[in-house]
Amino acid sequence: MKVVLKCIDCGEEFQPGAFYRCEKCSGLLDVIPDIAELNVSRELFDSRLGSREFPYSSGVWRFREMIHPLVEKRDIVSRAEGNTRLYRHEKVSAYTGIRDIVLKHEGENPSGSFKDRGMSPGISEAKRLGMEIVACASTGNTSASMAAYASLAGIRSVVFIPEGMIAFGKLSQALAYGAHVLQIKGNFDRAMALVQESSMEFGMYILNSINPWRIEGQKSIIFELIQQLEWNPPDWIVVPAGNLGNSSAFGKALMELKELELIDKVPRIASVQATGANPFYKMWKGKKDELDAVDKPETIATAIKIGNPISWKKAMRAIKFSSGVVEEVSDQEIMDAKAIIDSSGIGCEPASAASVAGAKKLLDTGVIDSKEKVVCIITGNVLKDPDATINYHLGKLKGIHPKFQNKPTVIDADLESVRKAVLG
Ligand code: F0G
């Protein structure tokens, strides 16, 4: 099987190796297999559903040919990631005004976020290349995922996180799984720059979404979703957007499914940013050709608190290919949408709720029609950021009025007090 890394800007091709940019022009790289040689079909992927066989029990490796056709079974590091469920709830339909709205819960992955889907092929590639140390910059979830997969594979991991800016659940995971955690005195964008500078110097293999194998793994969100929908694509796929790896992966997945004639129509991608961290939204809205970084990104959704997203070019390609849109939502909209998702029994971390908040806004502004089928990607688990949830319900978030507050009640320890609290 021939697979090359191809520059998205100048088209130069390279043999796969431990580098992330074009040697000639510094452009980002795509993994390009020989599509005609892939020999895949809906029937092949359906035949692996429910399989107990390694690695096909994974919702990533079920699509092995389209994820990493080069790696041998012995180098695959997998925790049967993916296989995430779809949820429908009246409350979410009523809140957004969209009858047929479905949530795909990527927080059900082994480390609690969609990152595991890209990390599995990313760490497998590190093993294939014989790398001894892996590294990433992270707003939290990438570090949690990388730490887990690296330890599974017996590879050392180093994570660069912005000090004091990541949710506690995620920091605790990185420490627990055994990563070497470097707290950077600076924000995510600074950490991202530093990991690129130091990986060259110290031979660390980067597992951020600048690594094209991460993108390959995250394509499986789309493959699995469309398979779950009996190969009938929805009208819209709405996704929270930070460093823009997912938006990029979704576009590449749809391009490949179309080229292989595994789908008849291309759903529209809507990427949703937080208003305080919205460089991609501004670029799209202003019809610009280049991204202007936001210097001091600010949002309660710390996972997407990013001012200079690495993958903006690939993400713009995805929006254009799918006739998609880019939207922004405020922290108030994010936290209210989260309260709706949470109280439907589904639950998510703040950044994830940007998808549902975005879908509602796109309906309100007439971009999405109430009769269309909309899938919102829920990117992370509700337990990732307990502080945000508790402070919302206690009314302690600055500048946010909790519309759907659920405050604990303190009572005396006697029957009468219980009666008053429950029935009164
Ligand atoms: N949702 C969650 C829960 C995330 O953790 C991230 C990104 C995103 C959405 C945005 O996805 O970057 O592909 O556009 N988290 C990264 C991290 C940056 O370091 O964990 P994206």
Side-chain angles (χ1 to χ4, degrees):
M1 165 65 61
K2 188 171 163 255
V3 176
V4 294
L5 300 183
K6 184 172 178 182
C7 175
I8 66 165
D9 289 327
C10 74
E12 187 73 12
E13 294 184 357
F14 306 91
Q15 286 308 306
F19 51 91
Y20 325 93
R21 287 189 182 275
C22 174
E23 278 168 18
K24 275 173 83 181
C25 75
S26 292
L28 295 177
L29 303 170
D30 265 336
V31 173
I32 306 284
D34 188 340
I35 287 257
E37 255 191 71
L38 283 184
N39 203 12
V40 293
S41 62
R42 292 178 182 182
E43 290 71 26
L44 173 71
F45 298 138
D46 285 349
S47 75
R48 292 173 181 165
L49 275 174
S51 169
R52 291 199 187 93
E53 188 195 340
F54 183 91
Y56 301 118
S57 52
S58 157
V60 174
W61 297 97
R62 187 187 313 137
F63 307 97
R64 180 177 182 176
E65 294 80 357
M66 295 175 73
I67 303 288
H68 201 324
L70 286 181
V71 71
E72 305 272 353
K73 196 169 162 184
R74 62 166 189 269
D75 285 332
I76 294 179
V77 184
S78 168
R79 286 183 63 178
E81 49 290 308
N83 295 309
T84 60
R85 285 168 286 259
L86 303 181
Y87 296 93
R88 294 174 174 81
H89 200 289
E90 245 172 52
K91 222 171 170 174
V92 178
S93 297
Y95 183 65
T96 55
I98 302 166
R99 210 176 309 146
D100 195 1
I101 185 167
V102 178
L103 311 188
K104 181 160 177 62
H105 207 322
E106 288 299 305
E108 295 176 343
N109 273 289
S111 82
S113 83
F114 71 91
K115 303 288 179 179
D116 296 341
R117 291 193 183 254
M119 207 50 75
S120 178
I123 289 277
S124 303
E125 178 66 0
K127 230 176 131 184
R128 193 182 79 89
L129 296 172
M131 304 306 293
E132 288 170 3
I133 312 179
V134 291
C136 70
S138 181
T139 56
N141 281 324
T142 303
S143 64
S145 178
M146 189 185 77
Y149 279 79
S151 290
L152 260 185
I155 296 175
R156 273 181 65 195
S157 63
V158 183
V159 308
F160 294 60
I161 55 165
E163 191 185 21
M165 292 187 224
I166 83 169
F168 252 48
K170 306 174 189 182
L171 177 60
S172 72
Q173 283 181 290
L175 295 170
Y177 293 136
H180 190 163
V181 176
L182 306 179
Q183 294 188 292
I184 306 301
K185 292 181 180 150
N187 63 17
F188 170 83
D189 299 303
R190 182 63 205 123
M192 191 64 233
L194 192 59
V195 81
Q196 292 180 77
E197 290 158 26
S198 47
S199 76
M200 286 295 199
E201 195 73 22
F202 308 118
M204 301 187 290
Y205 187 59
I206 301 184
L207 282 171
N208 282 101
S209 53
I210 191 175
N211 183 320
W213 296 104
R214 276 274 315 275
I215 303 286
E216 292 306 285
Q218 285 167 215
K219 290 185 318 194
S220 68
I221 299 174
I222 298 300
F223 299 158
E224 187 177 271
L225 166 69
I226 291 178
Q227 184 177 37
Q228 282 168 310
L229 299 175
E230 312 281 353
W231 302 99
N232 296 312
D235 297 301
W236 289 91
I237 298 172
V238 190
V239 62
N243 216 18
L244 297 172
N246 251 355
S247 303
S248 303
F250 289 12
K252 189 164 188 284
L254 293 174
M255 285 177 215
E256 292 172 355
L257 288 173
K258 191 81 185 42
E259 187 177 346
L260 288 162
E261 297 178 358
L262 294 174
I263 52 172
D264 308 323
K265 79 164 192 193
V266 176
R268 301 175 72 182
I269 297 172
S271 294
V272 186
Q273 295 209 292
T275 36
N278 64 352
F280 191 52
Y281 171 75
K282 282 202 220 151
M283 179 188 172
W284 182 79
K285 192 81 185 160
K287 299 191 169 60
K288 300 229 176 82
D289 295 327
E290 293 283 325
L291 181 118
D292 288 325
V294 167
D295 270 349
K296 290 200 173 71
E298 220 19 273
T299 166
I300 181 138
T302 49
I304 51 174
K305 191 169 157 178
I306 294 173
N308 193 13
I310 280 277
S311 296
W312 64 266
K313 257 193 197 170
K314 286 184 179 177
M316 192 49 85
R317 179 179 69 178
I319 297 295
K320 286 185 178 153
F321 173 76
S322 72
S323 309
V325 300
V326 186
E327 187 51 275
E328 62 170 0
V329 289
S330 67
D331 282 2
Q332 177 77 51
E333 290 169 299
I334 287 174
M335 291 309 288
D336 286 336
K338 173 174 149 56
I340 294 291
I341 298 163
D342 291 353
S343 61
S344 301
I346 298 166
C348 67
E349 67 161 286
S352 309
S355 59
V356 170
K360 173 174 166 53
K361 190 162 177 186
L362 290 167
L363 179 106
D364 291 345
T365 51
V367 179
I368 290 180
D369 186 274
S370 64
K371 288 187 215 67
E372 286 183 302
K373 185 179 188 76
V374 178
V375 176
C376 289
I377 306 299
I378 300 299
T379 45
N381 188 287
V382 68
L383 293 174
K384 290 278 190 176
D385 191 351
D387 297 277
T389 309
I390 291 167
N391 289 328
Y392 175 87
H393 289 294
L394 294 180
K396 284 189 181 167
L397 292 179
K398 244 209 283 165
I400 291 178
H401 167 70
K403 246 197 230 161
F404 308 105
Q405 193 170 24
N406 182 22
K407 245 171 127 169
T409 319
V410 180
I411 61 162
D412 287 328
D414 56 58
L415 262 186
E416 196 40 40
S417 305
V418 176
R419 188 191 323 276
K420 260 197 216 147
V422 177
L423 305 177

